[in-house]
Amino acid sequence: MEPTARETDGRSSAAAGGEPGDAPPAAIRLEDVRRGFRSAGRTVQALAGITANALRGQVTGLVGPDGAGKTTLMRLIAGLLRPDSGRIEALGFDVARDPLDVQARLGYMPQRFGLYEDLTVRENLDLYADLQGVMPERRAPRYADLMHMTGLGPFTARMAGRLSGGMKQKLGLACTLLNPPQLLLLDEPTVGVDPVSRRELWQIIEHLMRETDTAVLFSTAYLDEAERCDQVWLLHEGQLLGSGAPSDFSAEMAGRSFYAVATGGRRALQARLAQTAGVIDAVIQGGHVRVVMAAGAPPEAKMLPDFPDLVLTPTAPRFEDSFVARLGGGRHEAVAAGSRAHSEAGAPALASGDRAAAAGPVITVRQVTRRFGDFTAVDNVSFEVRRGEIFGLLGANGAGKTTTFRMLCGLLPPTQGALEVAGFDLRTAAAIARRRIGYMSQRFSLYGDLTVRQNLNFFSSVYRLTGAHQRARLAWAGEEFALGPMLEAKAGELPLGFKQRLALACALMHDPAILFLDEPTSGVDPLARREFWRRINALAGRGVTVLVTTHFLEEAEYCDRLLIMAQGRVLNEGTPDAIKAAARRPDRPDPTMEEAFIAAIEAAAVPEAA
Amino acid sequence: MSRQILALLVKELLAVLADARSRWLLIGPPLIQLVVFGYAASFDLSHVPIAIYDQDGGEASRDLIARFAGSPTFAVEAVLRSSRRIDELIDSRRVEAVVVLDQGFSRDLHTGKPAPVQVIVDGRNSNTGLLIEGYAGTILTDFGLAWAADHGGAPPAAVLDMRALYNQTLDSHWFIIPGIVALLTQVITLLVVGLSVARERELGTFDQLLVTPLRPIDILLGKGLPGLVIGLVEASVIIAVTVLWFHVPLRGSLAALYFGLLLFVLAVTGIGLAISALSATQQQALLGAFLFMVPSIILSGFATPIANMPPWVQDLTLLNPMRYFLVIVRAVFLQGADLSSLGSQLWPMAAMGLTTLAMAGWLFRRRMT
């Protein structure tokens, strides 16, 4: 360590030492860091020249959608990869030259932390304490601290494999913190974790920040988490789009965000606003449309002649607005093209939407219970979804969403109760009902070794499309989703956005009456998410019923109606606005969907604890 | 319905063949194994190193030694002058056997007394030891007959005159290489079928398949058929190499061979599907496949005769499809058997195929719910 300090240049050793009176010393310094990967004969530039600093005693958020380069950057800082060029300093060490010195001082929690599922919580802690060389006499107090901090104390004898997703992440974090690190790298610890556990993970980190001056680098694809960080690095496709305090990001958007309401339906209004000059973003949020204007383009109430009663109410900017604004320049053309493709489909939307309200239910769930042994996964659940409705099924991990979903697909018979989908009783005609259902999951379940054309062919054949009809649908998918030029490319080598389009195309080949979406857009960049939901809105407008299961609450806002489940039971049902209104309190006049969700879950948990 | 299964079959074949690595795995290792096993696996002995300790030194003893040295089975590595080095040569594995001729060997022969010849054999490999004993016995019998003819002694009371049917020279390659057809077909089919569902589970595409209108039985067929097709094609290639490269005669009816092959692959496919239904990951599937494969090869009669096994193990082999197919392969190749003579081997495989497929179907449905 001694020679290292002498070898590094004056500036960095000063930074490492932290001279009195200075600003907090830098924990990470990146200078023009570049790294590419070769994949299928092409070089993919994962990081294209990143220059940034992270300070001690702060949480630095590494924010960006999937495929932005977040994991690559983490692995570079941890010394697990070498940069192609540029310089990385962590805790005053040159990572490329002294990776072991850095690794001895940092804690790194990769996306899938290596918990041993067949060991207990305590045994996992012991194992990692051994691996990290924690002295036996120091373990007992450290375990006590960590168990208190993570709330895992009552579960030390439980097998790690039997913990919930959120508890596993907390245990992973505890294992990473056994030897208090000076630099903590957390790679998407909140991905796939329900909002309640997500909030608890953040509480652990806040607790840690109060007690130590550890530098934390926290990567996430959930843009709302950026606002919890001290500093943010906004990463997109290997480029640093911006860095600074989250308030700096939203400050530049001040006065540009509004809620829009008008008669004629929020979907039609959203579709219209998205194509209006000066509007850089228009998304459905509850009963209104959230609009972000371009800089220097103040909105006028009269800007839409076809919506004469348009009312615009200013609202506070959020982090996502500035991300969309930053992306807006480059990607606006593609988005506009996407919406043009939908203009015909969008035109009759209103009319069929009205019809939809009058039509009978397409999905009926009546007093359904499903037990596994003596465990009740779904407990007397009833709901109905009408034609053309976008219906959200929300719940924490283990709330019974997946079981309900599997019953709706006819994969699992209910223990009691009745399920009807598209008029078919799932007990007797599951395979026939499935012909009317399209399914797309977050993981874009495509066959990566097959080409785009082979994937489309396969799924259309499985859904009994033949001959001219099949060819017509293939042509439709190529055009509608702009997949034409990529038909012969292997699905596994497509960029993320195209994978998502292909997955949706595969789910729609047989023109289903009902579309099931399982966390379709978590981790997708905001523009791709908007493009996706524009298509879904158009489908709903044409009378397709959409059922979304998610715990990514941004998606819940796009739904017409929501059902919140916990411990197998229905907690709350209603429009997003009604659910938010139910959580309104004097100290929380305008709750977010996340606050409303957590409030509903906590309200249900209290009587049980009492 | 059949079109959907066809789509699944085509997709499976594309998925296996589109990936350069899995394509190579299907073609490369089996052919290499066939060639290596074909040359390496043999029960025949040749050029076994031996040493001679001739205490007699007479004409008769030199004649006998010449018969050992001239035999293609043996190679004389050392001629000893004393008994001291016998142990050392065998311990160090420089020779497998030592032929010891007593001082009175020639004298005993001339006086018409039985002349003892001692053969000291390395017993660490009991199989080789037995074979050496047999070959040495043959040389001594020939020597005795020739001696009696030349010097007019009493000929032996009874003489062994053996003739082998089907494999006239008792070339063990003719026994082993057709067995490899069964062995490799089982390995390939089991791996292709066993891993296919687990791979989809790992990728997350299995859920996507489940929500399509495909019924469990369709998925089962769509997953089993590719294994059947690949197993049959692979077996055909191996049969061709056996006939064209190793010149093992294929004397019986090809129809009988393929009918047996079809039933065999069907039974193995059922087992592969059952393993597939039970495993959540490819690693578990691989482990399951090997857990079945190793005992099934040992209990098949591929290398060691079933008749040599204890009765309860013999009963166990009745549950092993490879046991029946090995009989069919060898019967068709060497004996020239046709369909009508193989009924007793065919129906157990058909029964096993139906049972394992039904079991796989049941496991499939149970795992899905």
Side-chain angles (χ1 to χ4, degrees), chain A residues 113 121-140 142-143 146 174-179:
Chain A
F113 187 78
V121 169
R122 173 63 195 250
E123 284 163 346
N124 268 291
L125 285 172
D126 285 338
L127 177 70
Y128 278 95
D130 288 342
L131 290 177
Q132 295 169 20
V134 180
M135 294 293 154
E137 63 274 14
R138 287 180 47 204
R139 290 186 189 183
R142 188 66 192 151
Y143 287 0
L146 289 170
C175 290
T176 313
L177 293 173
L178 276 166
N179 224 348

Side-chain angles (χ1 to χ4, degrees), chain B residues 17-323:
Chain B
L17 298 178
D19 180 26
R21 242 178 326 169
S22 65
R23 198 166 51 214
W24 156 246
L25 275 177
L26 282 184
I27 298 165
L31 280 181
I32 293 172
Q33 282 167 16
L34 177 61
V35 171
V36 171
F37 286 5
Y39 282 109
S42 167
F43 299 134
D44 307 328
L45 292 181
S46 66
H47 303 288
V48 177
I50 58 167
I52 306 285
Y53 178 32
D54 182 8
Q55 292 170 289
D56 180 67
E59 188 199 344
S61 71
R62 282 203 306 279
D63 183 22
L64 180 58
I65 291 166
R67 281 175 182 269
F68 272 98
S71 147
T73 312
F74 295 111
V76 177
E77 281 289 302
V79 178
L80 306 181
R81 298 269 160 261
S82 76
S83 62
R84 273 184 302 114
R85 289 188 59 214
I86 293 178
D87 287 351
E88 178 212 321
L89 281 171
I90 289 186
D91 284 355
S92 63
R93 294 184 195 274
R94 282 185 47 209
V95 301
E96 296 272 353
V98 180
V99 179
V100 183
L101 298 177
D102 199 46
Q103 267 181 352
F105 181 72
S106 297
R107 190 193 59 218
D108 286 346
L109 275 175
H110 283 290
T111 54
K113 277 198 276 181
V117 177
Q118 188 187 25
V119 179
I120 301 168
V121 177
D122 182 352
R124 280 172 290 193
N125 185 334
S126 54
N127 198 37
T128 318
L130 279 173
L131 288 168
I132 291 172
E133 197 182 305
Y135 283 119
T138 310
I139 289 175
L140 281 181
T141 309
D142 289 352
F143 174 78
L145 284 171
W147 178 269
D150 292 354
H151 297 83
V159 180
L160 183 68
D161 182 11
M162 202 175 85
R163 183 172 303 159
L165 290 179
Y166 309 126
N167 185 354
Q168 285 76 5
T169 57
L170 287 178
D171 183 348
S172 64
H173 289 108
W174 286 19
F175 174 74
I176 291 173
I177 297 174
I180 298 175
V181 174
L183 181 77
L184 288 180
T185 306
Q186 168 160 309
V187 172
I188 294 293
T189 310
L190 207 56
L191 288 183
V192 166
V193 177
L195 293 185
S196 69
V197 176
R199 190 173 50 226
E200 293 219 33
R201 277 214 178 95
E202 276 183 16
L203 286 172
T205 47
F206 198 62
D207 279 342
Q208 187 85 45
L209 269 191
L210 290 181
V211 299
T212 65
L214 292 171
R215 291 165 304 163
I217 181 79
D218 301 332
I219 296 180
L220 196 71
L221 287 173
K223 286 282 166 191
L225 283 174
L228 204 69
V229 170
I230 290 172
L232 287 175
V233 171
E234 198 85 39
S236 304
V237 173
I238 300 168
I239 290 169
V241 175
T242 306
V243 174
L244 299 176
W245 181 260
F246 287 108
H247 302 293
V248 179
L250 179 54
R251 294 176 177 139
S253 104
L254 216 52
L257 184 60
Y258 270 86
F259 190 62
L261 183 63
L262 182 72
L263 291 181
F264 174 59
V265 176
L266 208 64
V268 174
T269 300
I271 293 163
L273 284 172
I275 292 171
S276 224
L278 287 173
S279 356
T281 62
Q282 294 196 62
Q283 201 185 7
Q284 286 176 10
L286 205 62
L287 213 62
F290 274 96
L291 225 56
F292 168 77
M293 212 126 70
V294 174
S296 96
I297 291 167
I298 291 171
L299 296 181
S300 68
F302 172 71
T304 49
I306 290 174
N308 290 4
M309 300 172 188
W312 65 273
V313 179
Q314 289 195 29
D315 291 345
L316 206 60
T317 64
L318 296 175
L319 295 173
N320 183 3
M322 190 168 160
R323 171 212 158 109

Side-chain angles (χ1 to χ4, degrees), chain A residues 434 439 445 447 462 465-466, chain B residues 3-4 200 204 208 212 214:
Chain A
R434 281 206 295 272
Y439 169 72
S445 311
Y447 293 101
V462 161
L465 266 53
T466 52
Chain B
R3 256 188 59 87
Q4 290 169 284
E200 293 219 33
Q208 187 85 45
T212 65
L214 292 171

Side-chain angles (χ1 to χ4, degrees), chain A residues 91-315:
Chain A
L91 303 170
F93 297 98
D94 182 334
V95 177
R97 206 174 48 202
D98 309 305
L100 289 177
D101 286 312
V102 179
Q103 283 157 8
R105 290 166 180 78
L106 67 74
Y108 173 47
M109 182 169 151
Q111 255 176 51
R112 291 187 61 176
F113 187 78
L115 288 178
Y116 291 84
E117 306 231 317
D118 300 320
L119 296 183
T120 63
V121 169
R122 173 63 195 250
E123 284 163 346
N124 268 291
L125 285 172
D126 285 338
L127 177 70
Y128 278 95
D130 288 342
L131 290 177
Q132 295 169 20
V134 180
M135 294 293 154
E137 63 274 14
R138 287 180 47 204
R139 290 186 189 183
R142 188 66 192 151
Y143 287 0
D145 275 359
L146 289 170
M147 291 300 97
H148 172 71
M149 211 156 98
T150 54
L152 287 173
F155 306 106
T156 47
R158 190 179 282 193
M159 292 291 168
R162 304 207 44 205
L163 297 175
S164 73
M167 280 154 91
K168 277 184 195 161
Q169 290 297 73
K170 283 190 251 179
L171 177 56
L173 184 55
C175 290
T176 313
L177 293 173
L178 276 166
N179 224 348
Q182 295 174 38
L183 171 61
L184 181 59
L185 305 177
L186 304 174
D187 195 358
E188 300 209 54
T190 51
V191 76
V193 171
D194 66 70
V196 180
S197 307
R198 204 139 72 90
R199 195 180 60 163
E200 286 165 358
L201 272 170
W202 272 103
Q203 282 165 349
I204 297 173
I205 290 163
E206 279 155 17
H207 181 100
L208 184 75
M209 299 315 289
R210 278 197 301 276
E211 296 193 337
T212 64
D213 75 336
T214 303
V216 177
L217 187 63
F218 185 106
S219 86
T220 179
Y222 296 121
L223 299 180
D224 54 333
E225 290 190 336
E227 292 171 36
R228 292 177 182 265
C229 301
D230 300 305
Q231 292 284 322
V232 173
W233 299 347
L234 179 58
L235 210 58
H236 182 67
E237 290 174 354
Q239 311 267 1
L240 190 66
L241 288 188
S243 65
S247 54
D248 297 347
F249 283 88
S250 34
E252 57 193 62
M253 303 305 293
R256 289 163 61 182
S257 310
F258 301 89
Y259 282 138
V261 193
T263 51
R266 55 191 190 135
R267 287 210 200 116
L269 177 61
Q270 185 268 337
R272 180 72 181 80
L273 279 168
Q275 291 173 49
T276 306
V279 174
I280 57 171
D281 190 23
V283 290
I284 288 174
Q285 202 168 42
H288 34 245
V289 179
R290 198 170 186 288
V291 188
V292 179
M293 304 301 296
E300 302 157 41
K302 297 280 167 249
M303 69 183 178
L304 302 179
D306 37 347
F307 289 93
D309 60 345
L310 178 70
V311 179
L312 292 164
T313 326
T315 180

Side-chain angles (χ1 to χ4, degrees), chain A residues 284-580:
Chain A
I284 288 174
Q285 202 168 42
H288 34 245
V289 179
R290 198 170 186 288
V291 188
V292 179
M293 304 301 296
E300 302 157 41
K302 297 280 167 249
M303 69 183 178
L304 302 179
D306 37 347
F307 289 93
D309 60 345
L310 178 70
V311 179
L312 292 164
T313 326
T315 180
R318 51 178 189 170
F319 185 80
E320 186 170 329
D321 295 344
S322 83
F323 191 7
V324 173
R326 278 159 205 260
L327 290 179
R331 296 273 300 270
H332 209 73
E333 290 309 310
V335 175
S339 46
R340 248 199 316 281
H342 276 276
S343 49
E344 322 142 42
L350 203 58
S352 62
D354 288 340
R355 265 206 316 276
V362 174
I363 299 174
T364 313
V365 176
R366 263 195 304 272
Q367 292 165 345
V368 164
T369 297
R370 171 70 207 196
R371 280 189 274 273
F372 296 99
D374 54 0
F375 169 69
T376 306
V378 172
D379 188 2
N380 197 21
V381 166
S382 302
F383 62 90
E384 283 185 349
V385 186
R386 289 186 297 274
R387 183 169 176 270
E389 197 171 27
I390 301 181
F391 188 83
L393 203 54
L394 266 61
N397 299 331
K401 284 190 320 244
T402 310
T403 307
T404 308
F405 182 78
R406 291 177 77 81
M407 286 193 287
L408 283 172
C409 296
L411 299 176
L412 199 62
T415 312
Q416 276 164 30
L419 294 115
E420 247 178 56
V421 169
F424 296 99
D425 185 339
L426 287 179
R427 234 186 263 256
T428 52
I432 301 175
R434 281 206 295 272
R435 279 186 226 167
R436 314 293 308 278
I437 298 174
Y439 169 72
M440 179 188 147
S441 83
Q442 163 203 21
R443 298 208 288 171
F444 315 145
S445 311
L446 301 165
Y447 293 101
D449 284 331
L450 303 193
T451 64
V452 170
R453 185 195 298 281
Q454 287 165 344
N455 267 290
L456 290 169
N457 254 326
F458 171 65
F459 282 107
S460 56
S461 298
V462 161
Y463 282 100
R464 297 162 175 249
L465 266 53
T466 52
H469 184 208
Q470 185 172 27
R471 283 194 296 278
R473 290 304 283 176
L474 278 169
W476 165 84
E479 194 178 329
E480 173 78 15
F481 293 93
L483 290 169
M486 308 224 167
L487 280 178
E488 305 309 327
K490 284 196 174 185
E493 290 162 12
L494 293 179
L496 207 66
F498 278 93
K499 270 187 200 159
Q500 190 191 37
R501 281 192 220 168
L502 176 58
L504 185 58
C506 286
L508 291 175
M509 286 304 278
H510 58 300
D511 209 359
I514 300 164
L515 186 58
F516 284 171
L517 302 173
D518 183 16
E519 285 204 28
T521 56
S522 77
V524 172
D525 80 62
L527 290 190
R529 190 164 78 227
R530 280 156 180 71
E531 183 195 318
F532 178 85
W533 279 98
R534 191 158 34 244
R535 291 180 198 280
I536 297 300
N537 280 334
L539 286 169
R542 276 185 281 152
V544 176
T545 308
V546 182
L547 185 84
V548 188
T549 53
T550 187
H551 44 230
F552 177 45
L553 294 170
E554 185 64 34
E555 289 182 332
E557 297 273 12
Y558 302 125
C559 298
D560 294 314
R561 269 193 315 134
L562 296 174
L563 186 80
I564 298 182
M565 287 182 76
Q567 277 135 28
R569 287 195 297 272
V570 176
L571 290 187
N572 213 342
E573 187 184 349
T575 63
D577 280 351
I579 283 175
K580 281 191 277 188

